[in-house]
Amino acid sequence: MRSRRTASVLATLTAASLVLTACGRDDAGAGSEAQSEEIGSGAAEGTIEVWAMGTEGEALQDFSAAFEEANPDATVEVTAVPWESAHDKISGAIASGETPDVSLIGTTWMGEFAEAGGLMPTPENLVDEADFYPGPWASTEVGGTSYGVPWYVETRVLYYRKDLAEKVGWDQAPQTWDELKTFAQDLEDKAGVEYGINLPPGQTGSWQTMMPFAWSNGASLTNEDGTEYTIDSPEMAEALEFYKTFFDEGLSPTRLLDAGELESGFAKDTFGSFISGPWHIGLIEEQGLTEEQFAVAPLPGPDGAPGNSFVGGGDLAVFQDAENPEAAWKYVKWLTEAETQQAWYEEVNGLPAVPAAWQSGDLAEDEQLQVFGQQLESASAPPAVPTWEQVAASIDGLVEQVTKGDLAPEEAVTQMQSEASSIGTGL
């Protein structure tokens, strides 16, 4: 997931939405639309303009040669867009009606752009929802209507020092919340690490680590149709209380770490475990640790593993103002086929959103990455509603107050609900 929006960006989108209304765009509203009509079965034709960010934007042009070979009357033109400016660029394009045909969309942006009227509902029968992990697919649905197709995914698992854990009697990762607490205590008291686990104590993005505890405990962020926030629940308060205990008991630091401090501290026995995504495998190996020294495992749930985790990544969407929507959707379909997803992983290490792509090749042979595939079966996306990142920022701030001991978990959850209800979901 790419959570890079700021308050100024939110203001920009709000302004863009007003412009859309003023220009008379059909304001059906996300979720009140039917899926688009089924596309034809022939080869794609014409030029397909694509925006993609980050590594994907740099590699996609050459990768698309295989699509052009299979569709000789189609040409793919990829524009690489920096993630830092992507949100403003897309919202401006929607407002002006000058969009490309297809773009990579951060999963937390789907609700905003769909509600703004910028995205086409996914055509009927373009792909089979059952072919995708459920969490990533949910990120495409706004008010019950799908506005894209999951492209690549990431989720969070437990990293731990396998060598230190084995020395103090742990021959497998913790399976329950109680075991996770004992595990962190043992790493600290018996194995000699400074902190048994590192958890974010608040600030931007901390909800991505805290919410898996809440989801695992049965909490939800919105009702089923996304029209109301449902944060205030005993399950949410209980999860936040459990999260707080790691800071109260000195098992996790109460300050935000500097860049690189986690990886080096993990290698130097400062931190015994932490929760993060697949990119940390390479970062840890750069610190000199081997697979004999560290391992990854699904997150523990209250009563057993796997618990729920956060899922992010990127979706592919076609714009309402696309000049070549039929060819664009055929391109999206090709990019999300299992064979293409496997080839894309080999190109840029983007984890497939399609489980079938994990069944052979490099992914099937990598035991550590297979843990991420296992976790994806139990992973949730944040609600695809226009206001989610405003609410997420509120949650981040209140989590920080809790971990510092300035606010009781139950009071924090009540305040989360109050602020979220005041903001509304936007649907």
Side-chain angles (χ1 to χ4, degrees):
M1 189 202 66
R2 313 284 178 167
S3 301
R4 299 180 186 263
R5 292 195 59 205
T6 64
S8 63
V9 174
L10 281 165
T12 300
L13 181 61
T14 301
S17 299
L18 291 173
V19 172
L20 290 170
T21 302
C23 289
R25 180 186 292 281
D26 181 11
D27 190 23
S32 61
E33 298 176 275
Q35 301 302 149
S36 300
E37 293 183 4
E38 190 170 349
I39 63 172
S41 58
E45 298 178 353
T47 299
I48 306 167
E49 295 186 8
V50 183
W51 288 357
M53 301 79 180
T55 303
E56 289 78 11
E58 297 169 2
L60 189 57
Q61 183 67 67
D62 289 343
F63 186 78
S64 298
F67 176 82
E68 293 175 322
E69 184 176 351
N71 298 269
D73 293 326
T75 301
V76 179
E77 295 182 354
V78 178
T79 298
V81 179
W83 271 109
E84 290 74 13
S85 60
H87 183 275
D88 284 0
K89 188 174 178 67
I90 294 171
S91 61
I94 291 173
S96 65
E98 297 179 353
T99 66
D101 296 300
V102 181
S103 181
L104 166 61
I105 304 287
T107 54
T108 59
W109 298 345
M110 292 296 292
E112 302 169 60
F113 293 142
E115 180 62 15
L119 307 182
M120 282 184 68
T122 308
E124 293 280 0
N125 303 320
L126 179 76
V127 296
D128 186 346
E129 174 184 344
D131 289 340
F132 295 81
Y133 287 110
W137 184 265
S139 73
T140 72
E141 292 183 327
V142 182
T145 301
S146 174
Y147 289 89
V149 181
W151 186 14
Y152 65 86
V153 296
E154 61 94 350
T155 190
R156 313 295 164 84
V157 301
L158 180 70
Y159 285 74
Y160 67 98
R161 283 290 300 270
K162 177 183 173 185
D163 53 349
L164 299 180
E166 288 177 346
K167 285 182 180 179
V168 296
W170 288 87
D171 57 6
Q172 69 172 13
Q175 304 293 301
T176 67
W177 282 8
D178 286 344
E179 288 188 3
L180 179 63
K181 178 65 70 64
T182 304
F183 183 75
Q185 290 168 337
D186 284 352
L187 287 172
E188 206 169 288
D189 298 339
K190 300 178 182 177
V193 302
E194 186 172 353
Y195 294 103
I197 190 169
N198 181 72
L199 299 172
Q203 300 194 22
T204 303
S206 61
W207 66 269
Q208 296 173 7
T209 304
M210 190 281 291
M211 275 308 302
F213 289 96
W215 282 322
S216 296
N217 203 37
S220 62
L221 287 165
T222 66
N223 60 3
E224 190 170 345
D225 57 8
T227 55
E228 295 181 5
Y229 282 106
T230 58
I231 299 173
D232 192 358
S233 68
E235 292 81 6
M236 179 73 79
E238 184 179 44
L240 187 55
E241 176 68 46
F242 178 69
Y243 193 79
K244 178 178 184 292
T245 61
F246 288 94
F247 302 91
D248 291 347
E249 298 173 21
L251 296 171
S252 182
T254 55
R255 66 177 180 84
L256 199 65
L257 304 185
D258 295 329
E261 188 177 356
L262 177 59
E263 298 81 18
S264 62
F266 190 61
K268 295 176 180 175
D269 302 354
T270 303
F271 307 108
S273 62
F274 64 93
I275 294 171
S276 189
W279 59 86
H280 253 114
I281 291 177
L283 294 175
I284 291 170
E285 290 175 343
E286 288 176 4
Q287 295 294 323
L289 292 180
T290 67
E291 291 186 11
E292 285 69 40
Q293 294 171 294
F294 81 95
V296 293
L299 297 183
D303 302 313
N308 208 306
S309 188
F310 161 82
V311 62
D315 297 332
L316 291 164
V318 173
F319 291 96
Q320 288 281 12
D321 288 313
E323 293 185 358
N324 193 2
E326 176 141 336
W329 281 118
K330 290 177 179 176
Y331 180 63
V332 169
K333 178 179 172 62
W334 176 76
L335 282 171
T336 55
E337 291 173 346
E339 184 176 343
T340 310
Q341 292 241 304
Q342 201 168 67
W344 184 240
Y345 167 75
E346 293 170 1
E347 184 75 20
V348 300
N349 292 334
L351 295 180
V354 179
W358 293 69
Q359 304 308 313
S360 59
D362 293 347
L363 278 166
E365 298 170 359
D366 191 315
E367 293 183 2
Q368 289 185 328
L369 287 179
Q370 281 291 309
V371 172
F372 289 89
Q374 182 183 352
Q375 184 69 72
L376 282 166
E377 299 287 354
S378 301
S380 296
V385 298
T387 63
W388 166 243
E389 292 207 9
Q390 289 174 268
V391 174
S394 169
I395 293 174
D396 285 340
L398 290 163
V399 167
E400 184 169 1
Q401 291 186 49
V402 169
T403 61
K404 289 183 176 178
D406 295 334
L407 192 64
E410 285 191 6
E411 295 175 3
V413 170
T414 299
Q415 193 167 331
M416 288 176 190
Q417 179 68 51
S418 176
E419 294 181 11
S421 296
S422 177
I423 294 169
T425 67
L427 294 181

